[in-house]
Amino acid sequence: MINCCQFSWNTSVEMACNKENWSDNAEIKIFQEYLKIRTDHPDVDYAPCVEFLLQQADSLGLVSKVYYPDSPSRPIPVLTWPGTSPELPSIMLNSHMDVVAVTEKYWSHPPFAAEIDGEGRIFARGSQDMKSVGMQYLGAIRALKHDGIRLKRTIHVVFTPDEEIGGFNGIAKFVPTSDFAALNIGFCIDEGMASPTDEFPIFYGERFVWSILFRCRGSTGHASLFHKNTAIEKIQFLMNKFLNFRKSEEQRLENNPNLTVGDVTSVNITTINGGIQQNVVPPEIMMSVDVRMSVNIDYEQFDRDINDWCKQAGDGIEIQFIQKLQRIEPTKLDDNNKYWLAFKKVLVNDLQLKIKPQILPAATDSRHLREINVPVIGFSPMNNTPVLLHEHDEFIKASTYLEGITIYKKLLLELANL
Ligand code: ZN
């Protein structure tokens, strides 16, 4: 945690240090307003959210434009602060507008009321993932503008739809357009995750989903006999192969304290269906397997392994990939990446924060940007915070939220002046 009082250049943040009533804080009020706009799946109506963001752009004196690379129901508002050297590659601040669904009965506070409790915790869906980050970007720009600062590089604050359902009709459709190319993005900051310790996780890559459905056929007949070549024996063989691989990856993670879950390949058998009656040997069994592919595994070899396992298990096995994401090269965090060096300087040298670069275990919009070689760092400034994305009672502390604004302010000063 940084001491927010040390930053005299953010009045709102500074004032908050002495206040118990967080809802009087201007930044917290804007954040609460954004959290109250429902963008939960399914069938999200983005119109009220876009209207709010365009009002924010006006109040900040930002240029705004809404793009529709998919359809009018999938808007991408972009709020732009032109730099003094607009010919330089720009800085993109990405966040998604949508949030995952809630099961309201399990929440101790209503999930779209953004209530603040006595400990300063703001409860709402999206308070961590990731309406916080979207508003913190704007809070940082507000603080910079308040100080009369102009930055060299142009900043584009991009708000995307449908990230929570893969981003296929959101960022994925925007990235290949000439409109996107015209933004001339040099570097992007996107979402990360909360951290229950002092450390801030920094994400430079992601794992990729392989969702596989196996359909196993075998001999059927009376359940009192020993039939050969049954579907269940084939499924057992496949299960053993997957579970042995799972065990070895789990052990690799447990035996090496330098690894995080993003460094290994996870495997989970998620559904098994089959059988028609208690005394009939099932003619068919279906099994689905969720694999999250590490960036370090050989994708072609693993594909061959799966096919070999099926052949060894016997005939009559069909493999269907529900999802098979391609490996995308992670962002390189080395001395040739000037954005990374600036990012690290601000967090480690200037703010004396502990960081841990790692691979994100799940998928985000970032992969679509990395695919076209935009360097992306995933970062949500929430340390000493339980990881509550997609959970009941998702919250962020008001103090953590405001400290995040000060971190982004410092980051923008450095990154956009490179
Ligand atoms: Zn998210």
Side-chain angles (χ1 to χ4, degrees), residues 10-93:
N10 190 325
T11 11
S12 227
V13 174
E14 197 187 4
M15 277 163 57
C17 297
N18 306 317
K19 278 196 178 176
E20 286 192 348
N21 193 356
W22 295 103
S23 41
D24 284 348
N25 181 282
E27 288 298 342
I28 297 292
K29 270 189 195 166
I30 293 169
F31 180 36
Q32 284 177 299
E33 211 183 317
Y34 189 42
L35 289 170
K36 287 179 191 172
I37 302 169
R38 290 195 65 161
T39 50
D40 47 318
H41 284 281
D43 306 322
V44 185
D45 173 13
Y46 290 101
C49 183
V50 171
E51 194 184 303
F52 168 82
L53 292 170
L54 296 183
Q55 284 165 7
Q56 287 298 307
D58 281 348
S59 81
L60 280 163
L62 302 179
V63 181
S64 56
K65 187 164 180 189
V66 186
Y67 299 89
Y68 301 93
D70 178 68
S71 67
S73 62
R74 297 288 173 274
I76 302 188
V78 177
L79 280 48
T80 299
W81 187 12
T84 54
S85 305
E87 71 285 355
L88 289 174
S90 63
I91 306 296
M92 172 172 171
L93 304 176

Coordinates of all heavy atoms in Angstrom, one line a residue, residues 10-93:
N10 N -3.1 15.3 -6.2 CA -4.5 14.8 -6.4 C -5.4 15.2 -5.3 O -5.4 14.6 -4.2 CB -4.5 13.3 -6.6 CG -5.9 12.8 -7.1 OD1 -6.9 13.4 -6.7 ND2 -5.9 11.8 -7.9
T11 N -6.1 16.3 -5.5 CA -6.9 16.9 -4.4 C -7.9 15.9 -3.8 O -8.0 15.7 -2.6 CB -7.6 18.1 -4.8 OG1 -7.5 18.2 -6.2 CG2 -7.1 19.4 -4.2
S12 N -8.6 15.2 -4.8 CA -9.6 14.3 -4.4 C -9.1 13.2 -3.5 O -9.6 12.8 -2.5 CB -10.2 13.7 -5.6 OG -11.6 13.8 -5.5
V13 N -7.9 12.7 -3.9 CA -7.3 11.6 -3.2 C -6.8 12.0 -1.9 O -7.0 11.4 -0.8 CB -6.1 11.0 -4.0 CG1 -5.4 9.9 -3.3 CG2 -6.7 10.4 -5.3
E14 N -6.2 13.2 -1.9 CA -5.6 13.8 -0.7 C -6.7 14.0 0.4 O -6.6 13.6 1.5 CB -4.9 15.1 -1.0 CG -4.0 15.5 0.0 CD -3.4 16.9 -0.3 OE1 -3.9 17.5 -1.3 OE2 -2.6 17.4 0.5
M15 N -7.8 14.6 -0.1 CA -8.9 14.9 0.9 C -9.4 13.6 1.5 O -9.8 13.6 2.7 CB -10.0 15.6 0.1 CG -9.8 17.1 -0.1 SD -10.9 17.7 -1.4 CE -12.5 17.1 -0.7
A16 N -9.4 12.6 0.7 CA -10.0 11.3 1.1 C -9.3 10.8 2.4 O -9.9 10.1 3.2 CB -10.0 10.3 0.0
C17 N -8.0 11.1 2.5 CA -7.3 10.5 3.6 C -7.8 10.9 5.0 O -7.7 10.3 6.0 CB -5.8 10.9 3.5 SG -5.1 10.3 2.0
N18 N -8.5 12.1 5.0 CA -8.9 12.6 6.3 C -10.5 12.4 6.4 O -11.1 12.9 7.4 CB -8.6 14.1 6.4 CG -7.1 14.3 6.2 OD1 -6.3 13.6 6.7 ND2 -6.8 15.3 5.4
K19 N -11.0 11.7 5.5 CA -12.5 11.6 5.6 C -13.0 10.3 5.9 O -12.4 9.3 5.4 CB -13.0 12.1 4.2 CG -13.1 13.5 4.0 CD -14.0 13.9 2.9 CE -14.1 15.4 2.8 NZ -14.8 15.8 1.6
E20 N -14.1 10.2 6.6 CA -14.7 8.9 6.9 C -15.8 8.7 5.9 O -16.1 7.6 5.5 CB -15.2 8.9 8.3 CG -14.1 8.7 9.3 CD -14.6 8.4 10.7 OE1 -15.8 8.5 10.9 OE2 -13.8 8.0 11.5
N21 N -16.4 9.8 5.4 CA -17.5 9.6 4.5 C -17.1 9.6 3.1 O -16.9 10.7 2.4 CB -18.6 10.8 4.7 CG -19.9 10.5 4.0 OD1 -20.0 9.5 3.3 ND2 -20.8 11.3 4.2
W22 N -16.8 8.4 2.6 CA -16.2 8.3 1.2 C -17.1 8.8 0.2 O -16.6 9.3 -0.9 CB -15.9 6.8 1.0 CG -14.9 6.2 1.9 CD1 -15.1 5.4 2.9 CD2 -13.5 6.4 1.8 NE1 -13.9 5.1 3.5 CE2 -12.9 5.7 2.9 CE3 -12.6 7.2 1.0 CZ2 -11.5 5.7 3.1 CZ3 -11.3 7.1 1.2 CH2 -10.7 6.4 2.2
S23 N -18.4 8.7 0.4 CA -19.3 9.1 -0.7 C -19.3 10.6 -1.0 O -20.0 11.1 -1.9 CB -20.7 8.5 -0.5 OG -21.1 8.7 0.9
D24 N -18.6 11.4 -0.2 CA -18.4 12.8 -0.4 C -17.3 13.1 -1.4 O -17.1 14.2 -1.9 CB -18.1 13.6 0.8 CG -19.4 13.8 1.7 OD1 -20.5 13.5 1.2 OD2 -19.2 14.2 2.9
N25 N -16.5 12.0 -1.7 CA -15.3 12.2 -2.5 C -15.8 12.2 -4.0 O -16.5 11.3 -4.4 CB -14.4 11.0 -2.3 CG -13.1 11.1 -3.1 OD1 -13.2 10.8 -4.3 ND2 -12.0 11.6 -2.5
A26 N -15.3 13.2 -4.7 CA -15.8 13.3 -6.1 C -15.4 12.1 -7.0 O -16.2 11.7 -7.8 CB -15.1 14.6 -6.7
E27 N -14.2 11.6 -6.8 CA -13.8 10.4 -7.6 C -14.7 9.2 -7.3 O -15.1 8.4 -8.1 CB -12.3 10.1 -7.4 CG -11.4 11.1 -8.0 CD -11.5 11.1 -9.6 OE1 -12.1 10.2 -10.2 OE2 -11.1 12.2 -10.1
I28 N -14.9 9.0 -6.0 CA -15.7 7.8 -5.5 C -17.2 8.0 -6.1 O -17.8 7.0 -6.5 CB -15.7 7.7 -4.0 CG1 -14.3 7.5 -3.5 CG2 -16.7 6.7 -3.5 CD1 -13.7 6.1 -3.8
K29 N -17.7 9.2 -6.1 CA -19.0 9.4 -6.6 C -19.2 9.0 -8.1 O -20.1 8.4 -8.5 CB -19.4 10.9 -6.5 CG -20.1 11.3 -5.2 CD -20.5 12.7 -5.3 CE -20.9 13.3 -4.0 NZ -21.0 14.7 -4.0
I30 N -18.2 9.4 -8.9 CA -18.2 9.0 -10.3 C -18.1 7.5 -10.5 O -18.8 6.9 -11.3 CB -17.0 9.7 -11.1 CG1 -17.2 11.2 -11.1 CG2 -16.8 9.2 -12.5 CD1 -16.0 12.0 -11.5
F31 N -17.2 6.9 -9.7 CA -17.1 5.4 -9.7 C -18.4 4.7 -9.4 O -18.8 3.8 -10.1 CB -15.9 5.1 -8.7 CG -15.7 3.6 -8.6 CD1 -15.7 2.7 -9.8 CD2 -15.3 3.0 -7.4 CE1 -15.4 1.4 -9.7 CE2 -15.0 1.7 -7.3 CZ -15.1 0.8 -8.4
Q32 N -19.0 5.2 -8.3 CA -20.3 4.6 -7.9 C -21.4 4.7 -9.0 O -22.1 3.8 -9.3 CB -20.8 5.3 -6.6 CG -20.1 4.9 -5.4 CD -20.6 5.7 -4.2 OE1 -20.5 6.9 -4.1 NE2 -21.2 5.0 -3.2
E33 N -21.3 5.9 -9.7 CA -22.3 6.1 -10.7 C -22.1 5.1 -11.9 O -23.1 4.5 -12.4 CB -22.1 7.6 -11.3 CG -23.4 8.2 -11.8 CD -23.1 9.6 -12.4 OE1 -22.4 10.4 -11.8 OE2 -23.7 9.9 -13.4
Y34 N -20.9 4.9 -12.2 CA -20.5 3.9 -13.3 C -20.9 2.5 -12.9 O -21.5 1.7 -13.7 CB -19.0 4.0 -13.5 CG -18.5 3.2 -14.8 CD1 -19.2 3.2 -16.0 CD2 -17.3 2.5 -14.7 CE1 -18.8 2.6 -17.1 CE2 -16.8 1.8 -15.8 CZ -17.6 1.9 -17.0 OH -17.1 1.2 -18.1
L35 N -20.7 2.1 -11.6 CA -21.0 0.8 -11.1 C -22.5 0.5 -11.1 O -23.0 -0.6 -11.3 CB -20.5 0.6 -9.7 CG -19.0 0.5 -9.5 CD1 -18.7 0.6 -8.0 CD2 -18.5 -0.8 -10.1
K36 N -23.3 1.6 -11.0 CA -24.8 1.5 -10.9 C -25.4 1.2 -12.3 O -26.5 0.8 -12.4 CB -25.4 2.7 -10.3 CG -25.2 2.8 -8.8 CD -25.8 4.0 -8.2 CE -25.3 4.3 -6.8 NZ -25.8 5.6 -6.3
I37 N -24.6 1.5 -13.4 CA -25.2 1.3 -14.7 C -25.0 -0.2 -15.0 O -23.9 -0.7 -15.1 CB -24.4 2.1 -15.8 CG1 -24.5 3.6 -15.4 CG2 -24.9 1.8 -17.2 CD1 -23.5 4.5 -16.2
R38 N -26.2 -0.9 -15.2 CA -26.1 -2.3 -15.4 C -25.6 -2.7 -16.8 O -26.1 -2.3 -17.8 CB -27.5 -2.9 -15.2 CG -27.9 -2.8 -13.7 CD -29.1 -3.7 -13.4 NE -28.8 -5.1 -13.5 CZ -29.5 -6.1 -13.0 NH1 -30.5 -5.7 -12.2 NH2 -29.2 -7.3 -13.1
T39 N -24.5 -3.5 -16.8 CA -24.0 -4.1 -18.0 C -23.7 -5.5 -17.8 O -22.7 -6.1 -18.3 CB -22.7 -3.3 -18.4 OG1 -21.8 -3.3 -17.3 CG2 -22.9 -1.9 -18.9
D40 N -24.5 -6.2 -17.0 CA -24.3 -7.6 -16.7 C -24.9 -8.5 -17.8 O -25.9 -8.2 -18.4 CB -24.9 -8.0 -15.4 CG -26.3 -7.5 -15.2 OD1 -26.6 -6.3 -15.5 OD2 -27.2 -8.2 -14.7
H41 N -24.2 -9.6 -18.1 CA -24.6 -10.6 -19.1 C -25.8 -11.4 -18.5 O -26.0 -11.5 -17.3 CB -23.5 -11.5 -19.4 CG -22.5 -10.8 -20.3 ND1 -22.7 -10.7 -21.7 CD2 -21.3 -10.2 -20.0 CE1 -21.6 -10.0 -22.2 NE2 -20.8 -9.7 -21.2
P42 N -26.7 -11.9 -19.4 CA -26.6 -11.8 -20.9 C -27.4 -10.6 -21.4 O -28.0 -9.9 -20.6 CB -27.3 -13.1 -21.3 CG -28.3 -13.4 -20.2 CD -27.7 -12.8 -18.9
D43 N -27.3 -10.4 -22.7 CA -28.1 -9.4 -23.4 C -27.8 -8.0 -22.9 O -28.8 -7.3 -22.4 CB -29.6 -9.7 -23.4 CG -29.9 -11.1 -23.9 OD1 -29.3 -11.5 -24.9 OD2 -30.8 -11.8 -23.4
V44 N -26.6 -7.6 -22.9 CA -26.2 -6.3 -22.3 C -26.7 -5.2 -23.2 O -26.5 -5.2 -24.4 CB -24.7 -6.2 -22.2 CG1 -24.3 -4.9 -21.5 CG2 -24.1 -7.4 -21.4
D45 N -27.3 -4.1 -22.6 CA -27.7 -2.9 -23.3 C -26.6 -1.9 -23.0 O -26.6 -1.4 -21.9 CB -29.1 -2.4 -22.9 CG -29.4 -1.1 -23.5 OD1 -28.7 -0.6 -24.4 OD2 -30.4 -0.4 -23.1
Y46 N -25.7 -1.6 -23.9 CA -24.6 -0.7 -23.6 C -24.9 0.8 -23.7 O -24.1 1.6 -23.4 CB -23.4 -1.0 -24.6 CG -22.8 -2.4 -24.3 CD1 -23.0 -3.5 -25.1 CD2 -21.9 -2.5 -23.2 CE1 -22.5 -4.7 -24.8 CE2 -21.3 -3.8 -22.9 CZ -21.6 -4.9 -23.7 OH -21.0 -6.1 -23.5
A47 N -26.1 1.1 -24.3 CA -26.4 2.5 -24.6 C -26.3 3.4 -23.3 O -25.6 4.5 -23.4 CB -27.8 2.6 -25.2
P48 N -26.9 3.1 -22.2 CA -26.7 4.0 -21.0 C -25.2 4.1 -20.6 O -24.8 5.2 -20.1 CB -27.5 3.3 -19.9 CG -28.4 2.4 -20.6 CD -27.7 1.9 -21.8
C49 N -24.5 3.1 -20.7 CA -23.1 3.1 -20.3 C -22.3 4.0 -21.2 O -21.5 4.8 -20.8 CB -22.5 1.7 -20.4 SG -20.8 1.5 -19.9
V50 N -22.5 3.9 -22.5 CA -21.8 4.8 -23.5 C -22.2 6.2 -23.3 O -21.3 7.1 -23.3 CB -22.2 4.3 -24.9 CG1 -21.6 5.3 -25.9 CG2 -21.6 3.0 -25.2
E51 N -23.5 6.5 -23.0 CA -23.9 7.9 -22.7 C -23.2 8.5 -21.5 O -22.7 9.6 -21.6 CB -25.4 7.8 -22.4 CG -26.1 9.2 -22.4 CD -27.6 9.1 -22.0 OE1 -28.3 8.3 -22.6 OE2 -27.9 9.7 -21.0
F52 N -23.0 7.6 -20.5 CA -22.3 8.1 -19.3 C -20.8 8.4 -19.6 O -20.3 9.4 -19.2 CB -22.4 7.0 -18.2 CG -21.4 7.2 -17.1 CD1 -21.7 8.0 -16.0 CD2 -20.2 6.5 -17.0 CE1 -20.8 8.2 -14.9 CE2 -19.3 6.7 -16.0 CZ -19.6 7.6 -14.9
L53 N -20.2 7.5 -20.4 CA -18.8 7.7 -20.8 C -18.6 8.9 -21.6 O -17.6 9.7 -21.5 CB -18.2 6.5 -21.5 CG -18.2 5.2 -20.6 CD1 -17.9 4.0 -21.4 CD2 -17.1 5.4 -19.5
L54 N -19.5 9.2 -22.5 CA -19.4 10.4 -23.4 C -19.6 11.7 -22.5 O -18.9 12.7 -22.8 CB -20.4 10.4 -24.5 CG -20.2 9.2 -25.5 CD1 -21.2 9.3 -26.7 CD2 -18.8 9.2 -26.1
Q55 N -20.4 11.6 -21.5 CA -20.5 12.7 -20.6 C -19.2 12.9 -19.8 O -18.8 14.1 -19.6 CB -21.6 12.5 -19.5 CG -23.1 12.7 -20.0 CD -24.1 12.0 -19.1 OE1 -23.7 11.6 -18.0 NE2 -25.3 12.0 -19.5
Q56 N -18.6 11.8 -19.4 CA -17.3 11.9 -18.8 C -16.3 12.6 -19.7 O -15.5 13.4 -19.3 CB -16.8 10.5 -18.4 CG -17.5 9.9 -17.2 CD -17.4 10.7 -16.0 OE1 -16.3 11.1 -15.5 NE2 -18.5 11.1 -15.4
A57 N -16.3 12.2 -21.0 CA -15.3 12.8 -21.9 C -15.5 14.3 -22.0 O -14.6 15.1 -22.0 CB -15.6 12.1 -23.3
D58 N -16.8 14.7 -22.1 CA -17.1 16.1 -22.1 C -16.6 16.9 -20.9 O -15.9 17.9 -21.0 CB -18.6 16.4 -22.2 CG -19.1 16.1 -23.6 OD1 -18.3 16.0 -24.5 OD2 -20.4 16.0 -23.8
S59 N -16.8 16.3 -19.7 CA -16.5 17.0 -18.5 C -14.9 17.1 -18.4 O -14.4 17.9 -17.7 CB -17.1 16.3 -17.3 OG -16.3 15.2 -16.9
L60 N -14.2 16.1 -19.0 CA -12.8 16.1 -19.0 C -12.1 16.8 -20.1 O -10.9 16.9 -20.2 CB -12.3 14.6 -19.0 CG -12.3 13.9 -17.6 CD1 -12.2 12.4 -17.9 CD2 -11.2 14.3 -16.7
G61 N -12.9 17.3 -21.1 CA -12.4 17.9 -22.2 C -11.7 17.0 -23.2 O -10.7 17.3 -23.8
L62 N -12.1 15.7 -23.2 CA -11.5 14.7 -24.1 C -12.3 14.6 -25.4 O -13.5 14.9 -25.4 CB -11.5 13.3 -23.4 CG -10.8 13.2 -22.1 CD1 -10.8 11.8 -21.5 CD2 -9.3 13.6 -22.2
V63 N -11.6 14.2 -26.4 CA -12.3 14.0 -27.7 C -12.9 12.6 -27.7 O -12.2 11.7 -27.2 CB -11.2 14.0 -28.9 CG1 -11.9 13.8 -30.2 CG2 -10.5 15.3 -28.8
S64 N -14.1 12.5 -28.1 CA -14.7 11.1 -28.0 C -15.3 10.7 -29.4 O -15.7 11.5 -30.2 CB -15.8 11.0 -27.0 OG -16.8 12.0 -27.2
K65 N -15.2 9.4 -29.6 CA -15.7 8.8 -30.8 C -16.2 7.4 -30.5 O -15.5 6.7 -29.7 CB -14.7 8.8 -31.9 CG -15.2 8.4 -33.2 CD -14.3 8.7 -34.4 CE -15.0 8.2 -35.7 NZ -14.2 8.3 -36.9
V66 N -17.4 7.0 -31.0 CA -17.8 5.6 -30.8 C -17.7 4.8 -32.1 O -18.2 5.3 -33.1 CB -19.3 5.7 -30.3 CG1 -19.8 4.2 -29.9 CG2 -19.5 6.6 -29.1
Y67 N -17.1 3.7 -32.0 CA -16.9 2.8 -33.1 C -17.9 1.6 -33.0 O -18.2 1.2 -31.9 CB -15.5 2.3 -33.2 CG -14.4 3.4 -33.4 CD1 -13.9 4.0 -32.3 CD2 -14.0 3.8 -34.6 CE1 -13.0 5.1 -32.4 CE2 -13.1 4.9 -34.8 CZ -12.6 5.5 -33.7 OH -11.7 6.5 -33.8
Y68 N -18.3 1.1 -34.2 CA -19.2 0.0 -34.2 C -18.7 -1.1 -35.1 O -19.3 -1.3 -36.2 CB -20.6 0.4 -34.6 CG -21.2 1.5 -33.7 CD1 -21.1 2.8 -34.0 CD2 -21.9 1.1 -32.6 CE1 -21.6 3.8 -33.2 CE2 -22.5 2.1 -31.8 CZ -22.3 3.5 -32.1 OH -22.9 4.4 -31.3
P69 N -17.6 -1.7 -34.8 CA -17.0 -2.7 -35.8 C -17.9 -4.0 -36.0 O -17.8 -4.6 -37.0 CB -15.7 -3.1 -35.2 CG -15.8 -2.7 -33.7 CD -16.7 -1.6 -33.7
D70 N -18.8 -4.2 -35.0 CA -19.7 -5.4 -35.1 C -21.1 -5.0 -35.5 O -21.5 -5.3 -36.6 CB -19.7 -6.2 -33.8 CG -20.6 -7.4 -33.9 OD1 -20.4 -8.3 -34.6 OD2 -21.7 -7.3 -33.2
S71 N -21.7 -4.2 -34.7 CA -23.1 -3.8 -34.9 C -23.4 -2.7 -34.0 O -22.7 -2.4 -33.0 CB -24.1 -5.0 -34.6 OG -24.0 -5.3 -33.2
P72 N -24.6 -1.9 -34.2 CA -24.9 -0.8 -33.3 C -25.1 -1.2 -31.9 O -24.9 -0.4 -31.0 CB -26.3 -0.3 -33.9 CG -26.2 -0.8 -35.3 CD -25.5 -2.1 -35.3
S73 N -25.3 -2.5 -31.6 CA -25.5 -2.9 -30.2 C -24.2 -3.3 -29.5 O -24.1 -3.6 -28.3 CB -26.4 -4.1 -30.1 OG -25.9 -5.2 -30.8
R74 N -23.1 -3.2 -30.3 CA -21.7 -3.5 -29.7 C -20.8 -2.3 -29.9 O -19.8 -2.3 -30.6 CB -21.1 -4.7 -30.4 CG -21.9 -6.0 -30.2 CD -21.8 -6.5 -28.8 NE -22.7 -7.7 -28.5 CZ -24.0 -7.6 -28.2 NH1 -24.5 -6.4 -28.0 NH2 -24.7 -8.7 -27.9
P75 N -21.1 -1.2 -29.1 CA -20.3 0.0 -29.3 C -18.9 0.0 -28.7 O -18.7 -0.8 -27.7 CB -21.1 1.1 -28.6 CG -21.9 0.3 -27.6 CD -22.1 -1.1 -28.1
I76 N -17.9 0.7 -29.2 CA -16.6 0.8 -28.6 C -16.3 2.3 -28.5 O -15.8 2.9 -29.4 CB -15.5 0.1 -29.4 CG1 -15.9 -1.4 -29.5 CG2 -14.2 0.3 -28.7 CD1 -14.8 -2.3 -30.1
P77 N -16.7 2.9 -27.3 CA -16.3 4.3 -27.2 C -14.8 4.5 -26.9 O -14.3 3.7 -26.1 CB -17.2 4.8 -26.0 CG -17.7 3.5 -25.3 CD -17.4 2.4 -26.2
V78 N -14.2 5.5 -27.6 CA -12.8 5.8 -27.4 C -12.7 7.3 -27.0 O -13.2 8.1 -27.7 CB -12.0 5.5 -28.6 CG1 -10.5 5.9 -28.4 CG2 -12.1 4.0 -29.0
L79 N -12.1 7.5 -25.8 CA -12.0 8.9 -25.3 C -10.5 9.2 -25.4 O -9.6 8.5 -24.9 CB -12.3 8.9 -23.8 CG -13.8 9.0 -23.4 CD1 -14.7 8.0 -24.1 CD2 -14.0 8.8 -21.9
T80 N -10.2 10.3 -26.1 CA -8.9 10.6 -26.5 C -8.4 12.0 -26.0 O -9.1 13.0 -26.0 CB -8.8 10.7 -28.1 OG1 -9.2 9.4 -28.6 CG2 -7.4 11.0 -28.6
W81 N -7.2 11.9 -25.4 CA -6.5 13.1 -25.0 C -5.3 13.3 -25.9 O -4.3 12.6 -25.7 CB -6.0 13.0 -23.5 CG -5.5 14.2 -22.9 CD1 -5.5 15.5 -23.4 CD2 -4.7 14.3 -21.7 NE1 -4.9 16.4 -22.6 CE2 -4.4 15.7 -21.5 CE3 -4.4 13.4 -20.7 CZ2 -3.7 16.1 -20.4 CZ3 -3.6 13.8 -19.6 CH2 -3.3 15.2 -19.4
P82 N -5.4 14.2 -26.8 CA -4.3 14.4 -27.8 C -3.0 14.9 -27.1 O -3.1 15.7 -26.2 CB -4.8 15.5 -28.8 CG -6.3 15.5 -28.6 CD -6.5 15.1 -27.1
G83 N -1.9 14.3 -27.5 CA -0.6 14.7 -26.9 C 0.0 15.9 -27.7 O -0.5 16.3 -28.7
T84 N 1.1 16.4 -27.1 CA 1.7 17.6 -27.8 C 2.6 17.1 -29.0 O 2.9 17.9 -29.8 CB 2.6 18.4 -26.8 OG1 3.5 17.4 -26.2 CG2 1.8 19.0 -25.7
S85 N 2.9 15.8 -29.0 CA 3.6 15.2 -30.2 C 2.7 14.0 -30.7 O 3.0 12.9 -30.5 CB 4.9 14.6 -29.8 OG 5.7 15.6 -29.1
P86 N 1.6 14.4 -31.4 CA 0.6 13.4 -31.8 C 1.2 12.4 -32.8 O 0.5 11.4 -33.1 CB -0.5 14.2 -32.4 CG 0.0 15.5 -32.7 CD 1.2 15.8 -31.8
E87 N 2.3 12.7 -33.4 CA 2.9 11.8 -34.4 C 3.5 10.5 -33.7 O 3.7 9.5 -34.3 CB 3.9 12.5 -35.3 CG 5.3 12.9 -34.6 CD 5.1 14.1 -33.7 OE1 4.1 14.7 -33.6 OE2 6.1 14.4 -33.0
L88 N 3.8 10.6 -32.4 CA 4.4 9.5 -31.7 C 3.4 8.4 -31.4 O 2.2 8.7 -31.3 CB 4.9 10.0 -30.3 CG 6.1 10.9 -30.2 CD1 6.4 11.3 -28.8 CD2 7.4 10.1 -30.8
P89 N 3.8 7.1 -31.4 CA 2.8 6.1 -31.1 C 2.1 6.4 -29.7 O 2.7 6.9 -28.8 CB 3.7 4.8 -30.9 CG 4.9 5.1 -31.8 CD 5.1 6.6 -31.6
S90 N 0.8 6.1 -29.7 CA 0.0 6.5 -28.6 C -0.1 5.4 -27.5 O 0.4 4.3 -27.7 CB -1.4 6.8 -29.1 OG -2.0 5.6 -29.6
I91 N -0.6 5.8 -26.3 CA -0.8 4.9 -25.2 C -2.3 4.6 -25.1 O -3.2 5.4 -25.1 CB -0.4 5.6 -23.9 CG1 1.0 6.1 -23.9 CG2 -0.6 4.6 -22.7 CD1 2.1 5.1 -24.1
M92 N -2.6 3.3 -25.1 CA -4.0 2.8 -25.0 C -4.3 2.3 -23.6 O -3.5 1.6 -23.0 CB -4.2 1.7 -26.0 CG -5.5 1.0 -25.9 SD -5.7 -0.2 -27.3 CE -7.2 -1.1 -26.8
L93 N -5.4 2.8 -23.0 CA -5.8 2.3 -21.7 C -7.1 1.6 -21.9 O -8.1 2.2 -22.3 CB -6.0 3.5 -20.8 CG -4.8 4.5 -20.6 CD1 -5.2 5.7 -19.7 CD2 -3.7 3.8 -20.0

